[in-house]
Amino acid sequence: KHGDEIQKNVSTVWPVSLLLAIILVLVSLVFYAGIPTICRNTLSSEQIVYARKIFGVEAAYLIISFFSTIPDGIMLGFEKYEIQPLIAFVKLLVRTIALTMLVFCFRMAIVIVFVDAALSVVVLIFDLWFCTTKLGVKFTTKRFDKGIFIDSLPLSLAIMIQCIVNQANSNVDK
C-alpha cells in the first residue's frame, strides 16, 4: 500500500515537472532569442554569439537541475539521507579536478558552464537509476492523481523559482 501511494505521487509530480520544464525551455528560448537585441550596444557580434552559447548551456543546466529535484525528493522520502552528501562530495571533487585541468588548458568561461552542465546530467542519470533500481520507483504518468496535482502545483512552482534563484546566485558567486 505504501509503495502504491509513492508511485501515485511520483506519477503525478513527474508530469508537473515536465510541464514546468517546458515553461523553462520556452522562457529560455525567449531570452536566447533576445540576447542580440539586449546586448547589441554593449557586445560585439562575436561576443553575442559566445554569450548565446554560454546562455544555452546554462539554460540546459538549469533545466537539468530542476529535474534533479524529483529523484532527490524521492531519495529523501525513502530516508536515504547518506546518498545525497556522497553524490555532492563526488560531484564537487570531479568538478574541481575537471575545472582545474580544463580552465588551465582552454581558458574560456564556457568551460565552467559546460562542466557544471555535464556533471548535472551524470548526477541526474545516476539519481534516476538509483530511484528505479534500488528504490523500485517508476517514472511514469499511469497513476496520475488530479488531487495530488492540485496540491503539489504551488510547491512545484516554488521549487522552480528556487532553482532559478539558486542558479543565479551560483553564477554570481563564481
Side-chain angles (χ1 to χ4, degrees), residues 24 28 54-64 113:
L24 280 174
S28 296
I54 291 174
F55 180 81
V57 176
E58 191 63 36
Y61 175 48
L62 175 67
I63 293 163
I64 292 163
V113 178

Side-chain angles (χ1 to χ4, degrees), residues 8-149:
K8 190 187 300 184
N9 286 328
V10 171
S11 295
T12 305
V13 173
W14 189 246
V16 171
S17 294
L18 291 174
L19 175 68
L20 294 175
I22 290 169
I23 292 169
L24 280 174
V25 168
L26 294 175
V27 169
S28 296
L29 288 173
V30 168
F31 280 116
Y32 182 84
I35 288 174
T37 304
I38 295 168
C39 300
R40 70 175 167 235
N41 295 330
T42 57
L43 298 178
S44 69
S45 56
E46 277 183 15
Q47 290 172 321
I48 289 173
V49 169
Y50 192 62
R52 288 179 97 183
K53 287 178 184 177
I54 291 174
F55 180 81
V57 176
E58 191 63 36
Y61 175 48
L62 175 67
I63 293 163
I64 292 163
S65 297
F66 178 72
F67 272 120
S68 293
T69 60
I70 301 292
D72 290 348
I74 291 169
M75 285 185 248
L76 290 176
F78 275 92
E79 299 180 357
K80 299 294 182 186
Y81 303 118
E82 69 280 350
I83 193 80
Q84 290 302 333
L86 180 62
I87 291 170
F89 174 75
V90 171
K91 182 179 176 183
L92 179 65
L93 184 65
V94 171
R95 180 181 188 272
T96 303
I97 293 168
L99 285 179
T100 302
M101 292 183 333
L102 292 172
V103 169
F104 181 73
C105 294
F106 295 105
R107 298 188 189 275
M108 295 171 28
I110 198 165
V111 169
I112 297 169
V113 178
F114 181 76
V115 167
D116 287 341
L119 285 174
S120 291
V121 168
V122 171
V123 169
L124 176 62
I125 290 169
F126 175 80
D127 287 352
L128 292 171
W129 171 84
F130 186 85
C131 287
T132 55
T133 59
K134 301 296 184 187
L135 303 178
V137 174
K138 294 177 179 73
F139 292 91
T140 179
T141 59
K142 290 181 181 177
R143 308 218 36 225
F144 186 86
D145 185 321
K146 188 176 177 181
I148 295 172
F149 173 77

